């Protein structure tokens, strides 16, 4: 497994982020402290590298949201699916959006990237998953946070550990060690 770089110190997940920008925040949002959220990015159709990089930038353009960091890019084989290898990364954002609002924004970014859902686990031009939303635990008909398969996938755990090593347990990394994951680029 590749060595994990030490990220710069910052607030822990769920803590207020000093100086976080709140673009588009109106009076109703002025009292809400930003939440650190982590988003899994992946693609395996078309120019997957460009799709993932552009999706990370699109996250930073969301209302009341600031892109904090993006992990390196990784290549992985599809899990429970067919098709070409995936390009994956994880992004950290500070957001004033609620978790459902953030999920809706992620779905709009996927749709603009041409995401189709012809069947479960179909190859995709872009896949955005809300992995963590602060320390929230959400279990609704449309959203589960933490992401239910977060700890089962090397293509999520390694990039997440790159950004927030305190959120990834060594036992979880060991459990996914056999999953092929190739580091591509920053």
């Amino acid at each position: 497994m590749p060595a994990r770089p030490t990220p710069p110190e910052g607030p822990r997940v769920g803590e207020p982020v000093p100086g976080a920008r709140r673009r588009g925040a109106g009076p109703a949002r002025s009292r809400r402290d930003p939440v650190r959220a982590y988003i899994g990015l992946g693609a395996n159709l078309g120019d997957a590298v460009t799709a993932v990089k552009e999706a990370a930038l699109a996250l930073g353009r969301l209302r009341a949201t600031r892109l904090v960091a993006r992990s390196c890019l990784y290549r992985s084989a599809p899990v429970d699916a067919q098709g070409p290898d995936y390009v994956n990364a994880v992004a950290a954002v500070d957001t004033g959006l609620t978790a459902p609002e953030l999920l809706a924004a992620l779905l709009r970014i996927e749709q603009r990237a041409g995401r189709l859902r012809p069947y479960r686990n179909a190859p995709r031009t872009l896949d955005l998953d809300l992995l963590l939303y602060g320390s929230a635990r959400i279990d609704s008909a449309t959203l589960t946070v933490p992401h239910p398969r977060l700890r089962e996938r090397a293509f999520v755990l390694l990039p997440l550990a790159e950004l927030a090593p305190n959120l990834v347990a060594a036992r979880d990394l060991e459990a996914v060690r056999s999953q092929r994951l190739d580091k591509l680029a920053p």
Side-chain angles (χ1 to χ4, degrees):
M1 250 190 232
R4 294 185 303 191
T6 304
E9 283 298 313
R12 292 180 150 277
V13 173
E15 290 180 355
V17 180
R21 188 174 52 182
R22 297 176 195 223
R23 282 184 296 153
R29 299 223 180 269
S30 63
R31 291 185 208 124
R32 181 180 293 161
D33 287 329
V35 173
R36 176 70 47 94
Y38 293 89
I39 298 158
L41 301 94
N44 73 336
L45 292 178
D47 184 351
V49 169
T50 299
V52 168
K53 287 180 176 180
E54 287 180 359
L57 295 174
L59 294 173
R61 291 189 297 268
L62 293 175
R63 174 179 58 85
T65 301
R66 180 176 66 92
L67 177 65
V68 176
R70 177 187 52 84
S71 72
C72 290
L73 301 178
Y74 293 84
R75 182 178 312 281
S76 66
V79 175
D80 300 329
Q82 301 295 316
D85 284 353
Y86 275 85
V87 172
N88 301 99
V90 169
V93 298
D94 291 336
T95 186
L97 299 175
T98 65
E101 289 171 335
L102 182 56
L103 176 63
L106 299 181
L107 294 174
R108 285 190 299 273
I109 293 170
E110 286 181 348
Q111 189 175 37
R112 282 194 302 268
R115 168 88 188 257
L116 300 175
R117 297 173 188 268
Y119 54 89
R120 182 171 160 77
N121 294 330
R124 19 198 106 166
T125 55
L126 184 62
D127 184 30
L128 301 175
D129 291 324
L130 181 52
L131 305 173
L132 297 166
Y133 181 83
S135 59
R137 296 205 172 279
I138 303 167
D139 192 3
S140 74
T142 57
L143 179 61
T144 303
V145 174
H147 190 282
R149 290 172 299 286
L150 170 75
R151 306 221 181 282
E152 301 171 7
R153 309 269 165 91
F155 64 80
V156 173
L157 287 176
L158 273 123
L160 178 60
E162 192 180 307
L163 299 180
N166 60 315
L167 296 179
V168 180
R171 70 180 176 283
D172 292 335
L173 289 172
E174 184 59 35
V176 298
R177 178 175 234 181
S178 65
Q179 296 177 22
R180 189 191 102 221
L181 192 68
D182 303 316
K183 195 173 202 175
L184 294 179

